[in-house]
Amino acid sequence: MDDADGEDENDDVGDDSDGDLGPIFRVVALWFEPGNAANPAVNAEMAQLVTEVPTYKLVPLIYQILSRLGSGTPEFSSAIETLVFRICREHPHHTLLQLFALRHGKRLNSAAAQKAYNCMPHLEEKVQAAQSILDQLMARGSSTLEALVKNTERLLEGYIGLASIKRSQEMKDTKSLAFASLTAEPALVRSFPDILRRGAVGPVNGCGNGVL
């Protein structure tokens, strides 16, 4: 990864300043290039870097980073999982929805979509990798983070259930419907205020990383 090695030494990607994020974006872009992603030396270097870089600098790249879960060599995949775990643990409100979306990738509502999914085994690897990260957040995070993961999952299950409801003609003719009447789990509806509460966060250190 010669281009990254040639960056100005003052642009330390592990620096805690809130200045230009360009250097870290450049390093991640270089890492994701096929030749570098398959290079053992590059992955060994990045495996160390992902444990040190302030995670708030990587939140804007969460979609690109999550897209690499469950892909590449074992060394590359391990470094990505370590990075995703750190970002999700320290910035759950910015990342959990995207992580759950990846985990739900196999929940398809048509035979054609299921057939296409079955023809792409790498998608299953991504689903499993996302589930692994969620399991780690539950096991290794604080009680606050564990509750947030559980409640976010319940909320998303409620949305999925709502989206799958087949509307009757009577429902179509009704201008307003109580959400509780549409679900078989009224307790889920009653718990929505707790699920949606965003104020229960862990302490924030000087690097801008919330620790949950």
mmCIF file of all heavy atoms in Angstrom, residues 180-187:
data_model
loop_
_atom_site.group_PDB
_atom_site.id
_atom_site.type_symbol
_atom_site.label_atom_id
_atom_site.label_comp_id
_atom_site.label_asym_id
_atom_site.label_seq_id
_atom_site.Cartn_x
_atom_site.Cartn_y
_atom_site.Cartn_z
ATOM 1 N N ALA A 180 -51.783 -0.603 17.102
ATOM 2 C CA ALA A 180 -51.921 -1.754 17.985
ATOM 3 C C ALA A 180 -52.910 -2.775 17.428
ATOM 4 O O ALA A 180 -52.802 -3.967 17.693
ATOM 5 C CB ALA A 180 -52.355 -1.309 19.376
ATOM 6 N N SER A 181 -53.876 -2.306 16.633
ATOM 7 C CA SER A 181 -54.861 -3.227 16.082
ATOM 8 C C SER A 181 -54.302 -4.034 14.917
ATOM 9 O O SER A 181 -54.914 -5.001 14.477
ATOM 10 C CB SER A 181 -56.091 -2.446 15.604
ATOM 11 O OG SER A 181 -55.764 -1.653 14.456
ATOM 12 N N LEU A 182 -53.138 -3.647 14.411
ATOM 13 C CA LEU A 182 -52.566 -4.313 13.249
ATOM 14 C C LEU A 182 -51.530 -5.364 13.615
ATOM 15 O O LEU A 182 -51.047 -6.074 12.741
ATOM 16 C CB LEU A 182 -51.905 -3.275 12.334
ATOM 17 C CG LEU A 182 -52.809 -2.155 11.820
ATOM 18 C CD1 LEU A 182 -51.997 -1.185 10.987
ATOM 19 C CD2 LEU A 182 -53.958 -2.728 11.003
ATOM 20 N N THR A 183 -51.172 -5.437 14.880
ATOM 21 C CA THR A 183 -50.132 -6.372 15.277
ATOM 22 C C THR A 183 -50.638 -7.365 16.305
ATOM 23 O O THR A 183 -51.527 -7.056 17.097
ATOM 24 C CB THR A 183 -48.907 -5.626 15.847
ATOM 25 O OG1 THR A 183 -47.957 -6.593 16.310
ATOM 26 C CG2 THR A 183 -49.286 -4.746 17.020
ATOM 27 N N ALA A 184 -50.076 -8.548 16.268
ATOM 28 C CA ALA A 184 -50.449 -9.583 17.233
ATOM 29 C C ALA A 184 -49.699 -9.393 18.547
ATOM 30 O O ALA A 184 -49.887 -10.159 19.488
ATOM 31 C CB ALA A 184 -50.147 -10.967 16.656
ATOM 32 N N GLU A 185 -48.847 -8.380 18.623
ATOM 33 C CA GLU A 185 -48.052 -8.157 19.827
ATOM 34 C C GLU A 185 -48.282 -6.740 20.354
ATOM 35 O O GLU A 185 -47.460 -5.844 20.161
ATOM 36 C CB GLU A 185 -46.571 -8.347 19.535
ATOM 37 C CG GLU A 185 -46.213 -9.743 19.051
ATOM 38 C CD GLU A 185 -44.719 -9.897 18.848
ATOM 39 O OE1 GLU A 185 -43.978 -9.724 19.841
ATOM 40 O OE2 GLU A 185 -44.308 -10.161 17.726
ATOM 41 N N PRO A 186 -49.418 -6.502 21.023
ATOM 42 C CA PRO A 186 -49.681 -5.160 21.566
ATOM 43 C C PRO A 186 -48.577 -4.677 22.502
ATOM 44 O O PRO A 186 -48.312 -3.486 22.597
ATOM 45 C CB PRO A 186 -51.007 -5.355 22.324
ATOM 46 C CG PRO A 186 -51.645 -6.550 21.668
ATOM 47 C CD PRO A 186 -50.498 -7.447 21.279
ATOM 48 N N ALA A 187 -47.910 -5.628 23.193
ATOM 49 C CA ALA A 187 -46.838 -5.230 24.107
ATOM 50 C C ALA A 187 -45.719 -4.521 23.363
ATOM 51 O O ALA A 187 -45.048 -3.644 23.910
ATOM 52 C CB ALA A 187 -46.287 -6.461 24.834
#
